[in-house]
Amino acid sequence: MKTNNIRRHLVQLVSTFITNPHVTNYTGGTIYKGQSKQLCTPGLNCYSCPAAGTACPIGALQAVENSNRYHISYYVMGFLLITGAFLGRFVCGFLCPFGFFQDLLHKLPVRKRSIPRRLDKILRYTKYLILAVFVIALPTALINEFGISEPYFCKLICPVGTIEAGLPLVIKNESLRAVIGILFDWKVILLAITVILSTMIYRPFCKYVCPLGAVYSLFNRFSVLQLEVDDNSCINCMKCETNCDMQVNVPDNINSTECIRCGKCRSICPTGAINWTVSGKIILHTGDAPRNQPPHA
């Protein structure tokens, strides 16, 4: 399991640097504005981050909704559909910089806590509500006399923009420090709450808040990339479910909307009964038993 974590974190680290290559911009407090900013990154990564080389799909979606010329971006919608159809929430587990940030926070030696199952189940729907209200409904409905709206999720909720863009830019730009107000204070408070909760609860932002995770979760059950449990090899030890940080019912619903496909269940399975598949064909099989035979055969 430790090897799986190291490999996954290495992929997360590489993905973070690929989407944020302009790290020298932090020293000057400037934002990269090159042509690549017209492209979206799969994970949640703020457009205004000084190091960002691409745009966040949620931010890009709202930017088009907010304009006085267009109110829907076929490019962003297509990007989300294609990414979700191929990968599902694999993006959350391997490619999202803020998911990586939460993973690192959860490794801190802080007492871990769990939310009661019934409350947890209810809270999981919050991210869909945020997607519907703050990403889609409000930017579309609340338009001023110039035909322009606000990016409500980015402006009022998203802690990613605060840590990647807001704080670095405010620190480096005196003019920005002179104009920050209660909204910035509110965003810093939300970031602080997210950071504290992430040390105690595994990925609270992903579980309860992230609208991008909500979008990708809709594709988990039928995306090209899947996880599969080989019933002939499974011995029902339930180690996969007991150790799942996202509380997925692995044996019965491994491709749940909540699965971020981190691969922990696969690495902990004693019989190698869990496999990666692409279009139904196994691409990585580490089972100890031959395919389609019980483990004791």
Side-chain angles (χ1 to χ4, degrees), residues 241-276:
E241 183 171 334
T242 302
N243 290 277
C244 178
D245 293 315
M246 296 298 286
Q247 290 83 55
V248 172
N249 181 354
V250 178
D252 298 327
N253 191 20
I254 192 170
N255 291 299
S256 159
T257 55
E258 297 301 323
C259 175
I260 61 172
R261 294 174 174 167
C262 65
K264 184 177 182 180
C265 58
R266 184 172 179 270
S267 65
I268 208 170
C269 178
T271 63
I274 299 174
N275 308 299
W276 287 105

Side-chain angles (χ1 to χ4, degrees), residues 79-243:
F79 176 84
L80 291 172
L81 288 171
I82 292 173
T83 303
F86 274 90
L87 300 176
R89 292 196 75 179
F90 177 87
V91 173
C92 306
F94 280 84
L95 305 180
C96 181
F98 198 65
F100 182 36
F101 179 60
Q102 290 175 87
D103 283 345
L104 296 179
L105 287 173
H106 197 66
K107 291 182 179 298
L108 294 175
V110 176
R111 181 182 176 185
K112 309 307 176 187
R113 301 180 183 274
S114 60
I115 294 180
R117 185 172 292 272
R118 174 173 288 186
L119 177 60
D120 172 77
K121 188 174 181 180
I122 294 172
L123 290 176
R124 301 275 179 149
Y125 290 101
T126 306
K127 58 182 174 290
Y128 300 102
L129 182 64
I130 290 174
L131 172 65
V133 175
F134 289 92
V135 177
I136 299 174
L138 290 181
T140 303
L142 301 183
I143 301 173
N144 63 24
E145 63 271 24
F146 302 105
I148 300 174
S149 184
E150 297 277 358
Y152 286 97
F153 173 74
C154 299
K155 181 178 180 179
L156 300 177
I157 298 176
C158 187
V160 182
T162 308
I163 192 168
E164 289 187 352
L167 289 174
L169 291 176
V170 166
I171 291 172
K172 295 299 296 185
N173 290 276
E174 186 177 350
S175 58
L176 288 178
R177 292 198 296 272
V179 297
I180 59 174
I182 190 171
L183 180 60
F184 183 78
D185 296 338
W186 164 251
K187 294 294 294 291
V188 170
I189 291 171
L190 287 182
L191 173 62
I193 292 173
T194 302
V195 168
I196 293 170
L197 289 179
S198 295
T199 65
M200 298 183 291
I201 302 168
Y202 185 73
R203 288 200 178 206
F205 182 80
C206 297
K207 288 179 179 177
Y208 310 125
V209 181
C210 184
L212 187 58
V215 172
Y216 290 141
S217 72
L218 301 175
F219 296 89
N220 248 20
R221 297 185 190 280
F222 55 84
S223 61
V224 173
L225 181 68
Q226 296 265 296
L227 283 165
E228 175 192 84
V229 177
D230 182 357
D231 293 332
N232 292 327
S233 299
C234 178
I235 58 174
N236 295 312
C237 65
M238 305 306 290
K239 286 185 177 180
C240 54
E241 183 171 334
T242 302
N243 290 277

